[in-house]
Amino acid sequence: MSKNILILPGDGIGPEIVTEAVKVLAALRDDHGLEIEMDEALVGGAAIDATGVPLPDVTLQMAKEADAVLLGAVGGPKWESLDISVRPEKGLLGLRSGLGLFANLRPAILYPQLAEASTLKPEIVAGLDILIVRELTGDIYFGQPRGVRTLESGERQGFNTMVYAEHEIERIVRVACDIARKRDRRVCSVDKANVLECTELWREVATRVVKNEYPDIELSHMYVDNAAMQLVRRPKQFDVMVTGNIFGDILSDAAAMLTGSIGMLPSASLNESGRGMYEPIHGSAPDIAGKGIANPLATILSLAMMLRYSLGHAALADRIEAAVNKVLDDGLRTPDILSEGMIEVGTEAMGDAVVAALI
Ligand code: IPM
Ligand code: MG
């Protein structure tokens, strides 16, 4: 049966990188028997410009009906002066909560070909393969109350609420443990239990879930500040890290950079039924938008995750990943991953090369 994929290019470099991923998807459809239909819709700043809101009802409806969603990136300086409640980022957050995408998988894998591109010494990052499992629909991102209020003194005060219910912690810990069972069976839960009650509960629940349901998993706990330090000190000590929304946002950027470029890393955001939205972990990079130099590989690799996790086509996912390896072996590099002696290419040439390498 044909699967329906919703394409949301978004803003900045979003349309450019998504175009390359769509080329790959179309090649799989035309030459490798993948039965899919693609639709496109507006989100983020592009949606604000066209309709006045970052997540039009029709986009959310199409996303709910799709088998999977591929998103480019949202946001940019053009919309930064808008009220926070209607900024492009709200489109992304609305999709995450509207689709119930509570489990965000952010793998940080170092392609050996790119060891030179990392800012860390090669021996620190060689062979790096860690997975950050970030809770995506709770925490301070969605907690109420929130806002900016005026105190009696006339001074304004901003406030947000960090909040996690037990079931939210349980289900994300289960996702992390299920995946760890297919890896090295080690899960490090990251919190700030020495200061924040919310994450003290997180630690307690994580401990209980693993003890009762995953006795085969080795669970450790780490404070988030230490985790940030350990990520740059000795990143290979980690297998799977599980953490809340805000800590996961921050740690996943740090983990990404270990691999040389944030332009290489895909992500999957899944709900209870395994449906998902797939996006590169980088942003809309307005500074290089429209120049044809953005790295499309994170988006193309997001497609591989989509095939594996939502569409049941693991073999095609392998094929995309092999093609990406091949173009890296051939020395092709976008500027973000360029090193001496390599061949500099733009967004389109990189996408074409991946298509050509799909066998
Ligand atoms: C990410 C991004 C988003 C987030 C922004 C764009 C809202 O940084 O996906 O990591 O904070 O979750
Ligand atoms: Mg982020």
Side-chain angles (χ1 to χ4, degrees), residues 304-325:
M305 289 188 91
M306 176 193 289
L307 288 160
R308 181 171 292 124
Y309 289 107
S310 287
L311 303 183
H313 282 291
L316 292 181
D318 290 345
R319 219 174 268 196
I320 293 179
E321 286 161 1
V324 167
N325 259 302

Side-chain angles (χ1 to χ4, degrees), residues 74 89 92-93 96 106 134 136 141 245 249 252-253 279 281:
V74 296
E89 288 76 2
L92 179 58
L93 298 177
R96 290 174 179 170
R106 299 193 160 190
R134 169 188 177 194
L136 205 59
Y141 270 59
N245 206 344
D249 178 45
S252 62
D253 267 29
E279 50 175 318
I281 90 150

Side-chain angles (χ1 to χ4, degrees), residues 111-113 320-330:
Y111 285 79
Q113 302 94 323
I320 293 179
E321 286 161 1
V324 167
N325 259 302
K326 164 93 170 43
V327 300
L328 293 175
D329 281 341
D330 291 345

Side-chain angles (χ1 to χ4, degrees), residues 251-266:
L251 292 179
S252 62
D253 267 29
M257 209 51 216
L258 302 172
T259 70
S261 170
I262 198 164
M264 289 299 297
L265 296 188

Side-chain angles (χ1 to χ4, degrees), residues 26 76 120 127-128 148 215 237 242-243 286 347:
L120 273 76
L128 181 79
V148 178
Q237 69 185 280
V242 63
T243 189
T347 312

Side-chain angles (χ1 to χ4, degrees), residues 96-160:
R96 290 174 179 170
S97 65
L99 300 176
L101 305 172
F102 72 95
N104 184 216
L105 314 183
R106 299 193 160 190
I109 294 170
L110 183 84
Y111 285 79
Q113 302 94 323
L114 299 184
E116 288 283 303
S118 177
T119 45
L120 273 76
K121 295 193 193 102
E123 65 268 26
I124 302 289
V125 290
L128 181 79
D129 177 2
I130 61 185
L131 176 71
I132 298 189
V133 178
R134 169 188 177 194
E135 201 290 328
L136 205 59
T137 51
D139 203 349
I140 198 165
Y141 270 59
F142 294 94
Q144 295 288 350
R146 62 191 297 153
V148 178
R149 59 192 161 207
T150 304
L151 302 175
E152 270 171 24
S153 64
E155 186 189 13
R156 288 184 309 153
Q157 182 188 55
F159 59 101
N160 288 88

